[in-house]
Amino acid sequence: MMDRILIEALEVDTVIGAYDWERLIEQRLSLDLQLATDIRPAAATDDLTLTLNYAAICERIQRFAREHDFELVETFAERLAQTLRDEFAIDWLRLTLRKPGAVPAARSVGLEITRGTLPGTQPESQ
Ligand SMILES: Nc1nc2c(c(=O)[nH]1)N=C([C@H](O)[C@@H](O)CO)CN2
């Protein structure tokens, strides 16, 4: 069993894109995250320091977006996942990234990645 902290439709503005015109502007990305952690210690004590603070994680993601200017959404997602796993006690995460407006005929394009190991499961090859 593993609980998950959820962040849904977090909007960040960043320079992202492979084409010349995209290097000159910021575009909006929308992020969904599932962060596996055992919530029981925090629930038993009502202590924020014993869980993943979703507000702090959202602020870190906003800062990450401001500080980077990748070409590919793949790079943004991979590097963000690594940063979050390095800085927070996240056993496993699933990150869904959407780039609305990148393809006018589509509501959004994007990707989903999962990283880490859910306790009690086999590690995925990475
Ligand atoms: N798999 C990807 N395909 C494309 C990407 C990307 O990051 N990953 N990016 C672009 C352009 O930047 C596009 O978003 C501009 O509309 C094209 N394909």
Side-chain angles (χ1 to χ4, degrees):
M1 189 278 291
M2 183 49 73
D3 311 312
R4 299 182 191 187
I5 298 286
L6 303 178
I7 298 171
E8 187 175 335
L10 177 68
E11 295 191 327
V12 301
D13 294 320
T14 188
V15 174
I16 187 148
Y19 302 140
D20 288 346
W21 62 268
E22 296 187 283
R23 311 309 306 161
L24 306 174
I25 59 167
E26 288 190 337
Q27 297 184 77
R28 184 150 295 179
L29 302 177
S30 177
L31 307 176
D32 297 335
L33 290 102
Q34 298 180 32
L35 309 166
T37 191
D38 185 351
I39 67 150
R40 288 172 293 187
T45 55
D46 204 26
D47 183 348
L48 177 60
T49 66
L50 298 182
T51 187
L52 292 173
N53 180 337
Y54 51 70
I57 291 172
C58 288
E59 281 179 21
R60 184 65 184 94
I61 294 170
Q62 298 280 7
R63 182 158 70 83
F64 179 92
R66 282 196 303 275
E67 291 177 347
H68 293 91
D69 60 351
F70 301 117
E71 295 198 3
L72 300 182
V73 293
E74 284 86 342
T75 318
F76 186 102
E78 191 69 51
R79 294 277 301 273
L80 175 60
Q82 190 59 55
T83 298
L84 295 177
R85 292 184 63 207
D86 288 346
E87 297 183 16
F88 297 90
I90 297 168
D91 298 314
W92 172 99
L93 67 77
R94 172 165 292 150
L95 167 62
T96 305
L97 179 157
R98 295 184 176 85
K99 188 177 181 184
V103 174
R107 181 183 305 149
S108 69
V109 292
L111 53 75
E112 178 181 281
I113 63 172
T114 61
R115 295 293 180 267
T117 305
L118 277 173
T121 64
Q122 294 290 332
E124 284 183 32
S125 56
Q126 292 181 13

